[in-house]
Amino acid sequence: MTQETIIVLDFGGQYNQLIARRVRECGVYAEVLPYTKKLPELLEKNPKGIIFTGGPNSVYDPASPHYDPAIFEAGIPILGICYGSQLMAWSLGGSVETAPVSEYGHTEVSVDRASVLFKDIEADSTVCWMSHTDYIASVPDGFRITASTPVCPAAAMEDASCKLYATQFHPEVMHTREGMKMLSAFVYDVCGCKGDWEMGSFVENSITSLREKIGGGKVLCALSGGVDSSVAAVLLSRAVGKQLTCVFVDHGLLRKDEGDQVEAIFGPNGPYELNFIRVNAANRFYERLRGWSEPETKRKIIGEEFIRVFEDIAHEIGAVDYLVQGTIYPDVIESGLGKSAVIKSHHNVGGLPDVVDFKEIIEPLRMLFKDEVRKAGLELGLPEYLVNRQPFPGPGLGVRIIGEITAEKVRIVQEADAIYREEIASYEDADWPAGALEKSLGQFFVALTNMRSVGVMGDFRTYDYAVVLRAVLTSDFMTAEAAELPWPLIRKVTNRIVNEVKGVNRVLVDCTGKPPATIELE
């Protein structure tokens, strides 16, 4: 059976990954492609529909991103969002101008429920999320306006006969109250999708394709013990068995006692039949990181050193054809797709060195979001406690230490983080039954700032570091909001850290969501 695919054509918008995520929530596979992808290559994917993303440019600027207008004659349903809607209007003979009044944030939009896009909207108006300084001043011939605001006369338009639709607002963000109804209508009613993309099929198809690709080759898997690399390792083990060697690099940037925990699960005494090698390389990484404080530089150093360690191991065990990594879709998106902005390089995406001593790198989870990776893990039979572990970044505590990384700073973060995690796991009060708070949080950890301040302990002056408590609520890790932790918990964690962790005299709480921040600090 041919897989149904919706192509999300990226014009530099900050929500491109969310659009793909929302389409997948409809049970249809979505893939993000840069606007630089040539039309014939795009059409080779035989998409059921195409979505144009937003972007920061003005379509009437000659330097702004455009696309081959022949795409509108390909007979494929297209939905333009924000910049994508303006590009559609501009390309087909409409006009786009600087809006007399810009619109940002929650906006009441009047909709025509006779439009298939708005057929399931509960009333004649709905709250949507606007973010634009330009607007469609006149729609192209053949189009009709299907939504408006007092200052945006063409908040949505369509040419139903050509299956072309556009919204000036963002249906993909949660702030658009009924946005999923709109996207679902496009995916099912306009594109004719059945919504039969399931994780079981993904796992089965991946195992088959990996066997065909690898053949009799030897495979080296970068195993960190986190959710992504664990699922990747078991997936490859199912595909090629003992041809796979899993290498766990303890780079000295793991959480307290985590190296031993990973070995207990995946090592020779664990439940999985994996060829497992542990490399204790903390000193090697600390030496390479000495003197560096810029976040991107640190990430790339850690990524390159990872590869060099794997190359060394590969030479020891003989010829290795493939390197497997647990790269997932948010890693790819945030590392920059096409002309999109690079948010941060990931050690297994943007931080790879130019020369890697393997035939090819295999990333079987590259097109999955975090929650989809967890579903794949359950399909593979991984235990729930392992699959539902919080994500831990590849560079480890290297992205939770601001400034230069040293063994002493790592010790501080490990000890403070262990206290924080212990107290959250055991917290209980009238509002939170035992274990409920921990389960409610998408991610939580302690980070070390580069700030030192004066304090007093006993009768002595101190000049020590401040640590930050971070806890967020998120479903897809692409957006997040800061969790409101109970004050008794914060107070107890603070008291324990300043009393038990040498080198810390101040505890702060990070209250920032994503965006504008990222979940990690660096």
Side-chain angles (χ1 to χ4, degrees):
M1 180 180 66
T2 302
Q3 176 177 272
E4 296 178 332
T5 299
I6 299 290
I7 295 298
V8 178
L9 199 57
D10 175 26
F11 290 94
Q14 61 178 315
Y15 299 130
N16 49 33
Q17 71 280 359
L18 277 181
I19 298 171
R21 184 68 193 88
R22 299 306 180 226
V23 172
R24 292 191 191 184
E25 287 176 6
C26 296
V28 177
Y29 179 74
E31 182 176 345
V32 182
L33 296 178
Y35 77 90
T36 53
K37 179 70 71 173
K38 300 297 185 183
L39 181 58
E41 297 176 77
L42 185 154
L43 295 179
E44 284 178 2
K45 293 182 175 290
N46 193 30
K48 296 283 286 185
I50 300 169
I51 299 178
F52 289 0
T53 75
N57 303 94
S58 295
V59 294
Y60 46 77
D61 182 346
S64 65
H66 287 75
Y67 202 72
D68 186 344
I71 193 171
F72 298 108
E73 301 172 3
I76 300 171
I78 299 174
L79 171 63
I81 295 175
C82 196
Y83 177 88
S85 71
Q86 297 166 11
L87 179 62
M88 182 183 291
W90 180 267
S91 301
L92 294 173
S95 63
V96 177
E97 301 173 0
T98 301
V101 179
S102 299
E103 287 181 304
Y104 296 100
H106 294 83
T107 305
E108 192 80 20
V109 178
S110 298
V111 299
D112 180 356
R113 288 190 286 169
S115 166
V116 65
L117 217 59
F118 305 125
K119 66 183 181 61
D120 294 323
I121 303 306
E122 294 179 1
D124 291 336
S125 66
T126 186
V127 173
C128 299
W129 185 260
M130 287 284 197
S131 181
H132 69 101
T133 55
D134 292 339
Y135 77 147
I136 298 171
S138 63
V139 302
D141 290 342
F143 279 76
R144 72 183 189 94
I145 294 173
T146 56
S148 63
T149 74
V151 297
C152 184
M157 65 176 189
E158 68 179 44
D159 180 345
S161 64
C162 295
K163 296 186 177 181
L164 301 178
Y165 297 80
T167 64
Q168 180 61 68
F169 54 85
H170 291 270
E172 73 275 17
V173 303
M174 63 180 180
H175 307 290
T176 296
R177 187 177 297 161
E178 299 177 271
M180 277 301 295
K181 293 179 181 178
M182 303 172 197
L183 288 174
S184 180
F186 177 72
V187 168
Y188 286 104
D189 298 309
V190 178
C191 299
C193 293
K194 298 182 178 64
D196 52 10
W197 188 65
E198 298 176 348
M199 191 50 61
S201 300
F202 170 83
V203 169
E204 182 180 341
N205 292 338
S206 294
I207 290 173
T208 299
S209 62
L210 286 168
R211 282 176 182 156
E212 294 174 352
K213 180 183 187 67
I214 294 168
K218 289 186 178 181
V219 186
L220 194 61
C221 178
L223 176 62
S224 70
V227 176
D228 305 332
S229 65
S230 297
V231 172
V234 175
L235 185 64
L236 264 294
S237 179
R238 290 282 181 86
V240 298
K242 290 297 184 178
Q243 293 168 234
L244 171 69
T245 298
C246 291
V247 177
F248 167 52
V249 176
D250 187 345
H251 50 20
L253 300 170
L254 298 172
R255 288 167 288 206
K256 187 175 182 180
D257 301 325
E258 191 163 29
D260 294 337
Q261 294 168 4
V262 171
E263 185 170 2
I265 295 172
F266 292 101
N269 298 320
Y272 305 105
E273 297 181 1
L274 300 176
N275 292 322
F276 179 85
I277 298 174
R278 177 176 178 175
V279 183
N280 295 310
N283 291 336
R284 177 171 171 172
F285 278 82
Y286 294 160
E287 185 61 33
R288 284 280 285 111
L289 289 163
R290 186 191 305 273
W292 296 101
S293 60
E294 200 278 322
E296 280 294 288
T297 302
K298 290 192 296 184
R299 282 178 173 270
K300 290 178 179 178
I301 288 173
I302 294 169
E304 181 174 342
E305 202 61 24
F306 256 102
I307 297 298
R308 298 307 168 218
V309 171
F310 289 131
E311 287 179 339
D312 291 346
I313 296 300
H315 293 151
E316 291 179 12
I317 66 177
V320 172
D321 302 293
Y322 301 96
L323 171 66
V324 175
Q325 295 186 143
T327 307
I328 65 173
Y329 212 21
D331 299 339
V332 177
I333 296 293
E334 291 189 339
S335 293
L337 181 68
K339 298 294 183 179
S340 295
V342 175
I343 299 173
K344 56 188 177 183
S345 291
H346 288 258
H347 81 284
N348 51 359
V349 184
L352 288 173
D354 294 332
V355 179
V356 181
D357 194 14
F358 305 97
K359 180 189 297 183
E360 189 175 342
I361 292 177
I362 295 177
E363 297 169 320
L365 310 178
R366 186 180 178 88
M367 302 308 292
L368 298 186
F369 288 92
K370 177 65 72 174
D371 60 322
E372 295 171 328
V373 174
R374 297 188 196 280
K375 291 177 183 177
L378 293 174
E379 286 285 339
L380 287 163
L382 282 153
E384 189 170 345
Y385 77 87
L386 179 61
V387 169
N388 289 327
R389 288 182 68 190
Q390 288 193 9
F392 188 63
L397 300 181
V399 298
R400 296 178 183 175
I401 295 174
I402 308 299
E404 183 180 6
I405 296 170
T406 66
E408 175 64 9
K409 288 183 178 180
V410 171
R411 177 197 63 78
I412 289 173
V413 178
Q414 286 177 332
E415 293 183 7
D417 184 72
I419 291 171
Y420 188 39
R421 303 183 75 78
E422 178 185 328
E423 291 299 334
I424 285 182
S426 62
Y427 187 77
E428 182 178 3
D429 66 12
D431 297 320
W432 294 101
L437 178 61
E438 181 180 28
K439 290 180 181 179
S440 74
L441 300 174
Q443 195 167 351
F444 59 91
F445 56 86
V446 170
L448 179 63
T449 74
N450 204 25
M451 179 185 80
R452 299 179 73 183
S453 61
V454 174
V456 59
M457 292 186 180
D459 295 325
F460 297 95
R461 174 187 184 274
T462 62
Y463 187 61
D464 288 328
Y465 286 104
V467 297
V468 176
L469 307 181
R470 180 80 161 136
V472 300
L473 305 174
T474 181
S475 61
D476 55 20
F477 294 86
M478 299 311 305
T479 60
E481 59 180 310
E484 297 183 21
L485 298 178
W487 179 249
L489 169 68
I490 295 175
R491 182 173 57 222
K492 185 174 182 181
V493 170
T494 298
N495 289 339
R496 283 196 60 189
I497 289 176
V498 297
N499 282 288
E500 298 177 31
V501 182
K502 183 180 178 181
V504 177
N505 66 1
R506 199 174 296 268
V507 177
L508 311 175
V509 178
D510 187 342
C511 300
T512 321
K514 173 186 180 180
T518 54
I519 293 178
E520 299 291 346
L521 268 68
E522 286 203 336

